[in-house]
């Protein structure tokens, strides 16, 4: 890791803080509440452009592609963005992390030249991994890709594809050898979402949003040049994609939860209710807040250590993901309870915000999502037990 002195970091923190004060739209939360899809996409792309101009959009990418920031500086950057309540690049999350990390680790030079600059220009990606009958067992996927000349013909259905309605491209897993053991017959593709045979249907969620989508694939021709890594070795490539969910992104999310979400919760608990009393005057509330702050301090330290570690342990990423997702659930649950009726009347959340927008009922419902993608909490516990603690493998049955 490049050496960075304490003075360097202090100067960089001041630089980022000043940039935040002059570039974050003061009223973005109000302006992003209740907007339609078109305005949401426009705002997200404009915010990506602002971050790119400052050199803050892809600090985790290699220098030759516009990144190259030291881990120490990335930590400072995400701390300051959270502290100043910057919008999140929600729509570009898969593009900037999953797609980029996959292309950098396993893509061809042509694939990198084609897509990395386009992602910086606003190209949007989704992920076509989950399927209706595969559950958390990703290797049980049934979508097929059959080689025909210079293309693969894909048929099947994907589920829970975040942001697919707005996506230009898809990271797609499909089975190319049905006779092989289930993890060895899968290939990894880059699929143009405008290809004939691709149909996207949004799924209306309990929060009222339609963030998730179903993607139906009917004889979709994917050029063989869009294969990532060797044919039938997509499972290995997919681990690069999944790993992107658990690195610097977790540090950003932890900072936002501790630096923004918890601060808003304390501020709301300090406001008098209709009867003149404040939740903060209740000792039970202050005890819970103190306990949550302790957990948040631990989570932020855990994430910082994790991203700064050159050789993390085999279960460290699972520990971070498990701690974040379940703390998010507990904090939003308590916020809904502590803020009473107010929480139940705030039924619109600002788009472009994090998982802790301050619309606590919606945040609590949404928090359950985080315990599922990238491996459920049960799967994370199995990984921690087997790979981290060396316990016997869980029986698979049959």
């Amino acid at each position: 890791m490049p050496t960075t002195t304490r003075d360097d970091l202090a100067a960089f923190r001041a630089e980022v803080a000043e940039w935040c004060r002059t570039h974050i739209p003061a009223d973005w939360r109000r302006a992003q509440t209740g907007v339609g899809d078109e305005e949401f996409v426009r705002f997200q792309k404009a915010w990506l452009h602002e971050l790119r101009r400052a050199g803050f959009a892809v600090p985790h990418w290699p220098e030759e592609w516009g990144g190259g920031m030291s881990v120490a500086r990335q930590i400072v950057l995400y701390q300051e963005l959270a502290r100043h309540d910057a919008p999140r690049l929600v729509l570009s999350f898969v593009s900037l992390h999953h797609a980029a990390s996959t292309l950098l680790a396993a893509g061809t030079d042509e694939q990198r030249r084609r897509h990395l600059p386009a992602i910086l220009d606003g190209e949007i990606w989704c992920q076509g991994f989950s399927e209706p009958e595969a559950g958390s067992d990703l290797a049980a996927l049934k979508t097929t890709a059959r080689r025909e000349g210079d293309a693969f013909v894909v048929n099947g259905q994907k589920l829970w594809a975040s942001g697919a309605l707005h996506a230009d491209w898809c990271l797609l897993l499909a089975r190319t050898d049905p006779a092989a053991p289930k993890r060895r017959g899968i290939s990894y593709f880059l699929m143009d979402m405008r290809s004939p045979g691709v149909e996207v249907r949004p799924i209306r969620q309990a929060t009222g949003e339609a963030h998730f989508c179903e993607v139906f694939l009917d004889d979709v021709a994917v050029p063989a040049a869009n294969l990532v890594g060797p044919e039938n070795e997509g499972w290995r490539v997919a681990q690069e994609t999944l790993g992107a969910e658990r690195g610097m992104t977790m540090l950003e999310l932890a900072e936002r939860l501790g630096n923004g979400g918890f601060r808003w919760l304390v501020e709301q608990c300090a406001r008098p209710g209709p009867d003149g009393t404040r939740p903060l005057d209740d000792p039970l509330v202050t005890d819970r807040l103190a306990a949550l702050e302790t957990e948040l301090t631990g989570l932020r330290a855990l994430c910082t250590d994790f991203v700064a570690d050159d050789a993390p342990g085999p279960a460290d990423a699972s520990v971070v993901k498990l701690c974040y997702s379940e703390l998010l659930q507990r904090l939003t649950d308590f916020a809904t309870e502590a803020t009473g009726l107010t929480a139940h009347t705030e039924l619109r959340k600002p788009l472009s915000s994090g998982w802790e927008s301050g619309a606590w009922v919606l945040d609590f419902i949404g928090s359950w999502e985080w315990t599922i993608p990238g491996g459920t909490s049960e799967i994370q516990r199995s990984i921690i037990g087997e790979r981290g603690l060396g316990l016997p493998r869980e029986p698979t049955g049959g």
Side-chain angles (χ1 to χ4, degrees), residues 159-204:
L159 191 61
W160 311 124
S162 301
L165 197 58
H166 307 298
D168 302 300
W169 285 82
C170 176
L171 301 169
L172 180 77
L173 287 179
R175 189 163 297 285
T176 41
D177 183 356
K182 65 181 187 179
R183 292 186 181 182
R184 296 179 184 170
I186 296 171
S187 295
Y188 198 118
F189 299 96
L190 311 177
M191 184 182 72
D192 188 335
M193 291 294 283
R194 293 160 295 193
S195 305
V198 176
E199 181 185 357
V200 179
R201 298 179 191 170
I203 301 172
R204 188 66 60 187

Side-chain angles (χ1 to χ4, degrees), residues 24-345:
I24 295 175
D27 62 346
W28 74 265
R29 285 183 166 273
R30 181 194 57 78
Q32 280 285 285
T33 300
V35 297
D37 285 350
E38 187 175 336
E39 173 56 24
F40 168 60
V41 173
R42 187 205 66 77
F43 179 84
Q44 284 280 303
K45 290 190 174 183
W47 182 237
L48 172 63
H49 182 65
E50 281 293 331
L51 289 166
R52 180 184 181 180
R53 286 176 56 192
F56 297 158
V58 287
H60 56 295
W61 287 16
E63 185 173 4
E64 64 182 296
W65 296 108
M69 192 179 290
S70 71
V71 171
R73 284 195 170 210
Q74 290 181 59
I75 292 170
V76 168
L77 173 63
Y78 287 120
Q79 288 174 337
E80 290 302 311
L81 289 173
R83 192 164 69 89
H84 289 84
D85 188 28
R88 278 199 74 220
L89 290 173
V90 182
L91 198 57
S92 300
F93 185 75
V94 172
S95 315
L96 299 176
H97 296 280
H98 303 69
S101 65
T102 304
L103 291 166
L104 289 166
T108 64
D109 288 342
E110 176 56 31
Q111 288 169 347
R112 284 190 279 268
R113 283 195 296 270
R114 161 67 182 83
H115 290 294
L116 291 178
I119 287 172
L120 274 176
D121 286 337
E123 187 175 82
I124 299 169
W125 286 68
C126 65
Q127 191 168 301
F129 281 16
S130 299
E131 295 191 3
E133 297 180 12
S136 293
D137 184 7
L138 182 60
L141 63 87
K142 294 181 178 176
T143 292
T144 60
R146 183 182 70 257
R147 182 71 181 255
E148 288 191 5
D150 294 333
F152 287 84
V153 178
V154 182
N155 284 281
Q157 179 187 352
K158 296 294 177 178
L159 191 61
W160 311 124
S162 301
L165 197 58
H166 307 298
D168 302 300
W169 285 82
C170 176
L171 301 169
L172 180 77
L173 287 179
R175 189 163 297 285
T176 41
D177 183 356
K182 65 181 187 179
R183 292 186 181 182
R184 296 179 184 170
I186 296 171
S187 295
Y188 198 118
F189 299 96
L190 311 177
M191 184 182 72
D192 188 335
M193 291 294 283
R194 293 160 295 193
S195 305
V198 176
E199 181 185 357
V200 179
R201 298 179 191 170
I203 301 172
R204 188 66 60 187
Q205 300 157 226
T207 57
E209 301 170 296
H211 176 64
F212 299 115
C213 299
E214 294 175 288
V215 180
F216 295 87
L217 306 166
D218 183 11
D219 283 340
V220 179
V222 177
N226 289 6
L227 178 69
V228 182
E231 186 174 341
N232 295 327
E233 293 189 22
W235 181 262
R236 179 182 57 77
V237 179
Q239 303 316 303
E240 295 291 343
T241 307
L242 295 173
E245 286 185 334
R246 302 165 192 167
M248 194 60 73
T249 56
M250 293 309 305
L251 181 130
E252 181 196 357
L253 293 172
E255 287 297 325
R256 287 182 179 274
L257 186 61
N259 228 332
F262 184 71
R263 190 174 71 233
W264 300 325
L265 174 58
V266 172
E267 289 173 0
Q268 283 184 299
C269 287
R271 294 175 194 155
D275 62 354
T277 63
R278 308 184 311 160
L280 208 54
D281 295 328
D282 185 338
L284 294 177
V285 171
T286 53
D287 282 353
R288 290 285 300 276
L289 288 173
L292 286 170
E293 186 174 29
T294 301
E295 285 192 80
L296 286 164
T297 301
L299 173 67
R300 292 166 72 183
L302 187 67
C303 289
T304 302
D305 288 347
F306 175 62
V307 298
D309 193 341
D310 288 334
D316 288 2
S318 293
V319 172
V320 169
K321 202 262 184 180
L322 183 67
C323 288
Y324 170 79
S325 59
E326 301 211 343
L327 178 54
L328 173 69
Q329 210 166 68
R330 288 195 294 276
L331 188 145
T332 53
D333 182 17
F334 175 67
T336 302
E337 177 186 348
T339 53
L341 183 61
T342 302
H344 294 269
T345 56

